[in-house]
Amino acid sequence: MRLFLWSVLALTSLAVAAPGSPSDCAHKVKESVAPPRGWTKTKAAPADHLIELRIGLPQPNFAVLEQHLYEISDPFHERYGVHLSKEEVEALVAPHPESIQLVDEWLASHGIPSDALSRSPAQDWVTIRIPVSMAEEMMKTEYHVWVHDASGAALVRTTSYSLPEHLHAHVDVVQPTTSFARFRRDAATYHFAGDAPAAIKTDAPYISIPSAYNGQVNASCNASITPTCLKELYNAVGYVPAAAGENKLAVTGYLGQNANLEDFHLFNEAFVPEAADSTFDVVYINNGTNDQSPDAAGIEANLDTQYAFGLTYPTPRTFYTTGGSPPFIPDDLTPTDSNEPYANWLEYILSDPSPPQTISTSYGDDEQTVPESYAKRVCASFAQLGARGVSLSFSSGDNGVGDGDSDPATQQCYTNNGLNEHKFIPAFPAACPYVTSVGATWYIPEEVYYISGGGFSNYFSRPAYQELAVDTYLSKLVPGTYAGLYNPSGRAYPDVAAQGQFFNLFVGGVEGQIGGTSAASPTFAGLVSLLNDARLARGLAPLGFLNPLLYAIGAVFPDGFNDIVGGSNPGCGTEGFNATVGWDPVTGFGTPNFGNLKDLVLGDVSAILEL
């Protein structure tokens, strides 16, 4: 097919579309964005630079899928836990046949026949691999190489593209075009063991924590987190997975992050001795790699695998390694765009007939760097997974209410829409309403970890499941607090939290420590996987999309979480939001009490919550 496309490239410079063909129709701008703040346009993109162009067709029945999702995720609904099959979900997101036909005709008019396309199982995405020169002709646009001033990352993007006017109702989005997301990992500073920031010291061997296992946590956990510490703190000591033949857990890896097996063995020998000889499956997506040389060991990949899998042994576990990472190097002889790794993972996991019941991701970006049309399509993919019974957790970000890129002089954060307005900067995918967003705590007793990302989406409206919790929080704010800096009617996040600092891990054969919400997400996902294990062992369905259940528990069953009160998540020249009793946009409802949650999800959830 590649040879075919290069032939097409040669011919398009000579050929003229036949009068009246789809390619000859009048074009109209489909999407346009302001030149992104913090990026510099350097030069025209090479004509032979290859991009994987993804065309999203409308999903006319998505509202029906969403209704199914909320009903089967609502503990008070009679359909709770009755998840949809892969085929049922695909039928609900399938585009109209007319949309498929018209898009196919448009592509064929540019010399790209139907059999040269790659389609998602539901046919709602069409992917073509073409040179920039052809994309520019098809969408009447110009691509350039843009360089991110702070990081040096480079992308081949445009700020506007057009489609034939008759296609506008049949195409939701085309990317990569106007998306300037860098998709970075969420992680605070890594340091060698012994060089950690000072923790609160105590002379007692144990710290009294009433909600913990046996009401106490080893004092060493205050400066050195291990799986045992987390099990003690979150009341999970003694639980042994019983559905290892059915329950599955996964973490995702991007940007060349390698999960080192020797480090995994060292970690288990030190902290999970019963799992010393265990391993995990590796799934390679889009030419993903997992280099096992010690100097290639990835801090993020090791953190995710060591903790998510260390908490859940012997549950079957998978590390997804997805290829593609910025920066693009514009001087390559045969340049290939590889800046959209997340789309490749979504394509793979949606095609999997039996995905893991729990998946953790510790990567994301600022919501404003992702065009709203694309963010909503990606978010809709998470809804598909939730409807099939998959629980998705995402780290909430490590920059409080900001983006880590505030103005050095004023410390203020600015919008990326050309207006340069002073605003808080929400995170994505953490602010998608169909995922569970995990903030961070530190120290024992637990406190707010000030980096914990949280706030309110500018793209997604507040879902019904969190109306009560968020209204209650907002009613406590002094009138006018941060007026104009955030969207009070937007989807609020995070939903929950977990420990996020002083995590002991092995990297390249050396023990070190790390923190961040990237530690909190695999921790929370590990405990969710254990809850799924308990349900599956009883013949019950997995939990699937968690948020309606979490907010129901938070409203009437406070013992399900350890509420974190006091502290805030500063950013953008402000103190950020404060952590209060109940839900807040810093730590959500707080950290999990596994023992109490297990008893709840193994019983009649709706009956217990109604007591």
Side-chain angles (χ1 to χ4, degrees), residues 160-309:
S160 178
Y161 68 93
S162 301
L163 296 175
E165 192 164 0
H166 75 283
L167 283 183
H168 278 232
H170 301 282
V171 173
D172 273 348
V173 63
V174 182
Q175 290 292 347
T177 50
T178 57
S179 176
F180 285 81
R182 291 183 293 124
F183 199 59
R184 57 181 181 259
R185 66 186 184 94
D186 290 321
T189 304
Y190 171 78
H191 43 77
F192 294 107
D195 296 331
I200 299 171
K201 302 296 183 181
T202 176
D203 294 329
Y206 293 95
I207 302 172
S208 176
I209 305 292
S211 60
Y213 179 76
N214 284 339
Q216 59 186 19
V217 175
N218 193 295
S220 66
C221 299
N222 202 26
S224 178
I225 291 291
T226 68
T228 298
C229 291
L230 295 170
K231 287 186 175 182
E232 288 181 1
L233 181 61
Y234 297 140
N235 193 20
V237 174
Y239 182 80
V240 178
E246 187 176 357
N247 192 35
K248 295 182 290 183
L249 169 67
V251 298
T252 62
Y254 303 94
L255 311 181
Q257 282 284 312
N258 303 302
N260 188 277
L261 291 170
E262 179 59 29
D263 287 336
F264 185 70
H265 293 150
L266 290 172
F267 177 84
N268 286 329
E269 287 175 357
F271 304 122
V272 194
E274 65 272 23
D277 296 326
S278 68
T279 186
F280 51 86
D281 294 331
V282 179
V283 173
Y284 300 86
I285 302 169
N286 189 40
N287 299 315
T289 61
N290 198 34
D291 188 338
Q292 292 301 292
S293 58
D295 58 354
I299 295 173
E300 183 61 56
N302 277 10
L303 171 66
D304 292 342
T305 52
Q306 289 172 21
Y307 276 87
F309 302 162

Side-chain angles (χ1 to χ4, degrees), residues 245-510:
E246 187 176 357
N247 192 35
K248 295 182 290 183
L249 169 67
V251 298
T252 62
Y254 303 94
L255 311 181
Q257 282 284 312
N258 303 302
N260 188 277
L261 291 170
E262 179 59 29
D263 287 336
F264 185 70
H265 293 150
L266 290 172
F267 177 84
N268 286 329
E269 287 175 357
F271 304 122
V272 194
E274 65 272 23
D277 296 326
S278 68
T279 186
F280 51 86
D281 294 331
V282 179
V283 173
Y284 300 86
I285 302 169
N286 189 40
N287 299 315
T289 61
N290 198 34
D291 188 338
Q292 292 301 292
S293 58
D295 58 354
I299 295 173
E300 183 61 56
N302 277 10
L303 171 66
D304 292 342
T305 52
Q306 289 172 21
Y307 276 87
F309 302 162
L311 287 168
T312 56
Y313 175 80
T315 300
R317 58 292 277 282
T318 299
F319 173 63
Y320 293 112
T321 173
T322 303
S325 65
F328 156 67
I329 303 174
D331 295 326
D332 275 356
L333 182 62
T334 55
T336 299
D337 191 288
S338 58
N339 299 134
E340 297 285 345
Y342 199 65
N344 294 106
W345 180 79
L346 273 174
E347 180 180 346
Y348 175 88
I349 201 69
L350 288 170
S351 301
D352 189 341
S354 182
Q357 293 91 342
T358 312
I359 304 175
S360 174
T361 297
S362 294
Y363 301 77
D365 210 333
D366 308 326
E367 185 182 72
Q368 67 174 2
T369 67
V370 185
E372 185 172 354
S373 60
Y374 190 47
K376 289 186 173 179
R377 280 303 297 257
V378 170
C379 190
S381 297
F382 300 142
Q384 295 179 51
L385 290 168
R388 291 174 57 187
V390 178
S391 300
L392 298 169
S393 72
F394 281 80
S395 52
S396 70
D398 290 352
N399 295 298
V401 296
D403 59 358
D405 193 27
S406 56
D407 184 275
T410 65
Q411 299 303 308
Q412 294 183 345
C413 304
Y414 294 95
T415 58
N416 208 26
N417 58 5
L419 301 177
N420 284 331
E421 299 169 299
H422 176 34
K423 297 273 190 180
F424 291 164
I425 308 297
F428 183 81
C432 168
Y434 309 125
V435 307
T436 299
S437 178
V438 188
T441 63
W442 63 348
Y443 299 132
I444 299 172
E446 291 184 277
E447 301 177 6
V448 165
Y449 191 4
Y450 61 87
I451 67 166
S452 185
F456 298 79
S457 172
N458 291 317
Y459 288 174
F460 302 99
S461 59
R462 187 194 306 168
Y465 61 75
Q466 63 174 192
E467 284 281 5
L468 176 62
V470 176
D471 275 343
T472 299
Y473 177 81
L474 292 176
S475 70
K476 301 175 186 177
L477 290 180
V478 174
T481 301
Y482 303 143
L485 296 184
Y486 73 100
N487 172 25
S489 61
R491 187 281 206 249
Y493 74 101
D495 305 298
V496 292
Q499 280 281 311
Q501 184 54 288
F502 311 124
F503 276 56
N504 280 33
L505 78 167
F506 281 83
V507 180
V510 179

